[in-house]
Amino acid sequence: MRYSTDLPDLRIFPSKALMPHEDCDPRRVERLSKRLDADGVLKNPPVIARIPESENFVVLDGANRALSFINLGIPHIIAQLVSYQSSGVEVDTWHHVVAGMDITEFEDGLTRATGLHLQDCSLEKARLALASHHAAAYIISSKGVRMVSNSSKTLKHDTALLNSLVSVYRGRADIYRASNDIWEIQKPYYPNITALVVFPRLTPTDIIRAAKSGEMIPTGITRHIIPHRALNINFPLNILRQDTPQEQKEGWLKEWMMERMAANAIRFYSESTFSFNE
């Protein structure tokens, strides 16, 4: 443990200025809204980046929290402002472990889904096709490896295909995040695994374009690695709820930060960690 003078850039923003880039689960937003209301504090602020030529900001992490504030009618929110260019933010990808869905139902869904053209291939060929945008995604199951062909090689077409693919199992199966595409590694951890769906790595440009266009990327795909992430701020919601100008709330936030520093309450942990209570 050590102290850091490079504190997170925490600011007050209008809740409605935060734009998601991923599709959100209304059930999670509803549950989180109730929990926030009951707790009375914002524990972990969303992380956002500026949308060029706009007064809005793209949510890199914490979209459900941002939408919960809108759902609760809270006009302002604290968010951590970062930059792809200067904050060391990296974009990675989560894959989906689809579990608990009958394989026949899954296969029938793939057949009926709009725009999905599946091609049997090797894992190596699927990886190369995804990297070159000849595939929008690929699927690994007991049936083998199949790539979802992408003929247009554009983000718009990719996004539509990804949403069509995820619609096959969203709400019908359990979805877990995976960081690799190795069936033999995933299967022992998920005995009722149906399939492993592997997605492309998107770029910051893709993320910002999705937020600006409103054409959402499926939930749980993009993974932002954010240095100096602010957690456990536990800022009172009653301050953010008040019908007072944003500038006044920014002053309160600054005073709160100074109080936390004076109380020696801010810590920076540089170690990599595993959290077992998420």
Side-chain angles (χ1 to χ4, degrees), residues 90-230:
E90 299 179 17
V91 186
D92 206 338
T93 302
W94 291 114
H95 310 310
H96 285 176
V97 172
V98 181
M101 184 177 184
D102 182 76
I103 187 64
T104 301
E105 181 185 359
F106 180 77
E107 294 293 325
D108 289 345
L110 292 176
T111 301
R112 293 192 303 268
T114 303
L116 295 188
H117 301 287
L118 304 181
Q119 178 183 340
D120 293 336
C121 63
S122 66
L123 179 58
E124 186 60 30
K125 183 176 180 180
R127 288 170 174 168
L128 291 173
L130 191 66
S132 64
H133 294 283
H134 287 86
Y138 58 90
I139 304 163
I140 306 171
S141 71
S142 58
K143 304 282 186 178
V145 181
R146 286 163 294 175
M147 65 179 182
V148 181
S149 298
N150 172 29
S151 57
S152 72
K153 304 181 187 178
T154 66
L155 173 67
K156 180 177 177 60
H157 192 54
D158 272 0
T159 304
L161 284 180
L162 294 180
N163 279 293
S164 183
L165 173 56
V166 173
S167 71
V168 170
Y169 54 86
R170 186 177 58 186
R172 301 178 180 87
D174 295 320
I175 303 173
Y176 304 96
R177 291 175 175 176
S179 59
N180 65 73
D181 64 353
I182 308 299
W183 177 263
E184 291 77 14
I185 292 178
Q186 300 299 334
K187 186 172 174 54
Y189 288 100
Y190 307 98
N192 61 343
I193 187 171
T194 305
L196 178 59
V197 182
V198 181
F199 299 102
R201 175 174 291 189
L202 303 179
T203 67
T205 300
D206 297 332
I207 304 299
I208 292 173
R209 186 183 296 133
K212 290 180 70 173
S213 69
E215 187 175 1
M216 298 291 98
I217 297 164
T219 186
I221 292 180
T222 55
R223 175 191 182 193
H224 283 89
I225 301 170
I226 301 163
H228 296 171
R229 177 70 187 273

Side-chain angles (χ1 to χ4, degrees), residues 24-81:
C24 295
D25 183 351
R27 296 170 299 179
R28 290 191 63 191
V29 172
E30 184 64 29
R31 290 196 300 269
L32 185 54
S33 297
K34 292 179 180 178
R35 192 170 74 204
L36 281 167
D37 206 27
D39 292 344
V41 296
L42 173 62
K43 183 177 180 181
N44 299 324
V47 180
I48 63 175
R50 294 186 184 278
I51 297 177
E53 302 177 358
S54 171
E55 296 183 355
N56 295 326
F57 301 82
V58 58
V59 182
L60 308 187
D61 186 72
N64 288 321
R65 267 161 282 161
L67 290 173
S68 294
F69 267 63
I70 296 174
N71 194 40
L72 292 169
I74 303 176
H76 295 102
I77 189 170
I78 296 177
Q80 180 177 349
L81 183 64

Side-chain angles (χ1 to χ4, degrees), residues 249-268:
K249 293 179 181 178
E250 289 170 349
W252 292 338
L253 174 61
K254 183 177 180 179
E255 290 177 5
W256 174 85
M257 286 282 290
M258 295 300 292
E259 290 173 359
R260 302 307 293 164
M261 292 180 68
N264 201 24
I266 302 175
R267 297 287 189 274
F268 173 65

